[in-house]
Amino acid sequence: MELALDQAEEAFSSGEVPVGAVLVESSGRFFTDRNRTRETGLPSSHAEHLVITAAAKARGDWRLEDCSLYSTLEPCLMCAGLAVISRIPRIIYGAWDKRFGALGSVTNILEMQNLNHYPDVKGGCLADRSSLLMKEFFRQGRTIERE
C-alpha cells in the first residue's frame, strides 16, 4: 500500500485525483500507476484500470488469478468490475469512497448473484493517509473541466 500511496501523491502533484494502485503477482513482479484521466483525456484512466491492463498485456493473459490489487481508494464500478472479470483473487484498498465506491460504500458488486468470481476484499488499509490526501486535494480546489 505504501507504493500505491506514493503513486497517489504523484497524481496529486500532477493535478489528478490522488489515487494510486499496485498490482502484485505471486512471483513478486508488480505494476504501479496513478490516476491519469486529465493527462490522457480518457475516463478509463483510473489507477486500477491502468495496472490491471498493464499486467494483462505484460503477461499476454487477461486472467490475473495469482495477483493482488492494492488501491488507495475503494474501486468504482468500472475498476471493481474489471478486477472481477480478470479474476483477481484479492483486493485491498485504503479509504472508502462514499460517492462512487463499488465494494460496499455506495454499492457492492460482490452481492450480485451468478458472478463467476468473487474476490476477497479488505478495505481500510492505511485509510487515514489515503483519506487525508484526497481531502487535501479537494480542499485546495480542483478545477473541473466540463465539456
Side-chain angles (χ1 to χ4, degrees):
M1 189 59 82
E2 292 286 344
L3 289 174
L5 280 163
D6 290 345
Q7 289 293 312
E9 289 170 0
E10 189 176 317
F12 183 99
S13 297
S14 299
E16 298 277 2
V17 175
V19 178
V22 178
L23 187 116
V24 182
E25 297 178 332
S26 62
S27 68
R29 180 170 69 161
F30 61 92
F31 301 84
T32 65
D33 217 327
R34 61 179 176 81
N35 274 7
R36 295 179 183 274
T37 54
R38 288 182 67 177
E39 178 184 323
T40 64
L42 298 171
S44 62
S45 293
H46 290 192
E48 304 93 334
H49 190 286
L50 294 170
V51 296
I52 291 169
T53 302
K57 190 176 213 176
R59 294 161 64 113
D61 190 356
W62 59 271
R63 291 178 185 90
L64 304 176
E65 296 169 325
D66 68 330
C67 297
S68 296
L69 175 65
Y70 295 82
S71 178
T72 59
L73 187 67
E74 177 183 1
C76 68
L77 278 168
M78 174 184 67
C79 294
L82 188 58
V84 168
I85 288 168
S86 61
R87 293 181 174 86
I88 294 172
R90 284 167 301 289
I91 301 170
I92 301 98
Y93 66 87
W96 290 269
D97 187 346
K98 295 176 183 169
R99 292 184 62 215
F100 300 107
L103 293 173
S105 291
V106 175
T107 191
N108 190 346
I109 66 166
L110 301 181
E111 292 175 352
M112 294 174 64
Q113 295 180 9
N114 302 319
L115 293 178
N116 64 346
H117 175 72
Y118 293 88
D120 291 326
V121 176
K122 180 183 187 284
C125 182
L126 301 178
D128 289 343
R129 288 179 56 195
S130 298
S131 182
L132 283 173
L133 190 59
M134 192 70 71
K135 287 175 183 173
E136 180 60 20
F137 178 79
F138 286 105
R139 187 189 69 71
Q140 288 185 13
R142 174 183 178 212
T143 303
I144 300 174
E145 297 174 16
R146 300 186 190 261
E147 293 182 32

